[in-house]
Amino acid sequence: MTILIIGGSGLLGTELVHQAAATGHTTAATFATRPGSIAQVTWHALDLRHPEQLEAVVAEVAPRLIVNATSGGSDWAVTAEGPIRLAMAAVKYGCRLVHVSSDAVFSGTRVHYDESCLPDPVTPYGAAKAAAETGIRLVAPDAVIARTSLIIGDLQSPHVRLVHDLSAGTRNGVLFTDDIRCPVHVADLAAALLELALGEANGVHHLAGADAMSRHELGILIAKRDGLDASRLPVGLRADSALPGALDVRLNSHATQHKLHTTLRGARQFLSLGA
């Protein structure tokens, strides 16, 4: 089987490319600025804002499976419109599509969210992600939409890099004690995505870690794993800041976890193991 990873040079994309290639699948990947360095993978430059370029890549690679792991932030053209264009190309060329979404589609009003909950975003990024979900479900109803939370790995992970910078005193900021998410390890997430992709799943799935925790608690665990001085991590309340976004969003992944062989570990477990 040929697998095409969109956004293959990012944190999640790199892990997806590595795992897909390791299992013997013919693997291709796209990049926005520079290609990855994983051997036996073909790389294609792609800007999701350009429909002709997108369709040309899909036509050239001729994949049976496409996994969209891009993150365009609040750029509507990339984060909202790009995945819908990708879904249209997947349908045209008969490809199975797995799209990675985010817990940012939720406002935090309910706190606990399972797959049946409808998006109610409160940030431009969340709105773009929610729009992509809606468009994909209309264009490619057999696609998998996988919502996830904070993705943790090495220094390529934004939260890990933030913890290192704050501990070193090279960046201003704080780690909030009232901002709650369900962090997931990048290796667990990639394995779960490929498991869903290679099976017969469709529709919305949640792929978040088993532990709900604040960004400050997560930061302390990362500091301990990486040998940093956790006492240097500044603390604050998101409620006291001017930052937009939900405070407490906990993705309930139980329904999806029951379908998987891959275990979505909690951060307390995988960080204590040094992962």
Side-chain angles (χ1 to χ4, degrees):
M1 175 186 291
T2 299
I3 300 176
L4 174 61
I5 310 296
I6 307 296
S9 58
L11 171 66
L12 176 58
T14 297
E15 184 64 27
L16 282 165
V17 168
H18 174 78
Q19 291 193 23
T23 55
H25 295 289
T26 301
T27 305
T30 72
F31 64 93
T33 54
R34 62 180 182 274
S37 57
I38 299 174
Q40 300 178 334
V41 173
T42 57
W43 292 91
H44 303 263
L46 176 62
D47 186 334
L48 284 176
R49 293 171 293 187
H50 299 153
E52 300 83 2
Q53 188 183 61
L54 187 158
E55 187 165 326
V57 169
V58 174
E60 179 181 350
V61 175
R64 288 187 58 190
L65 168 64
I66 301 173
V67 182
N68 180 26
T70 57
S71 177
S74 58
D75 186 328
W76 188 268
V78 175
T79 303
E81 296 173 2
I84 298 172
R85 296 189 186 101
L86 184 61
M88 294 169 67
V91 170
K92 179 177 180 178
Y93 290 96
C95 311
R96 178 164 167 77
L97 174 65
V98 175
H99 170 72
V100 180
S101 190
S102 167
D103 58 11
V105 302
F106 296 123
S107 69
T109 303
R110 293 180 54 137
V111 177
H112 299 276
Y113 293 89
D114 63 20
E115 287 88 344
S116 68
C117 295
L118 297 177
D120 61 340
V122 292
T123 63
Y125 173 66
K129 279 292 193 181
E133 287 190 11
T134 300
I136 290 169
R137 295 183 76 176
L138 288 171
V139 172
D142 291 334
V144 171
I145 294 171
R147 297 178 184 135
T148 192
S149 191
L150 294 177
I151 304 174
I152 305 302
D154 57 18
L155 279 172
Q156 200 175 2
S157 167
H159 196 81
V160 174
R161 189 165 59 250
L162 172 63
V163 170
H164 278 249
D165 290 347
L166 290 175
S167 177
T170 58
R171 192 193 307 195
N172 295 325
V174 299
L175 295 177
F176 299 121
T177 57
D178 59 346
D179 188 331
I180 311 297
R181 297 296 187 271
C182 297
V184 64
H185 194 277
V186 64
D188 296 347
L189 176 58
L193 285 167
L194 290 173
E195 189 176 339
L196 287 174
L198 297 171
E200 298 180 355
N202 58 54
V204 177
H205 292 76
H206 284 182
L207 297 175
D211 297 333
M213 64 179 59
S214 72
R215 291 179 186 259
H216 181 255
E217 181 183 359
L218 177 61
I220 290 175
L221 292 173
I222 291 170
K224 290 180 178 178
R225 180 196 69 175
D226 295 350
L228 307 175
D229 184 355
S231 68
R232 293 179 56 85
L233 299 176
V235 181
L237 291 173
R238 184 164 187 154
D240 292 339
S241 77
L243 290 176
L247 287 179
D248 195 340
V249 177
R250 310 183 191 202
L251 291 187
N252 182 335
S253 303
H254 295 161
T256 299
Q257 179 66 85
H258 286 316
K259 303 174 185 177
L260 296 172
H261 295 293
T262 302
T263 299
L264 298 166
R265 296 170 294 172
R268 295 185 186 93
Q269 178 183 5
F270 66 72
L271 288 170
S272 69
L273 296 173

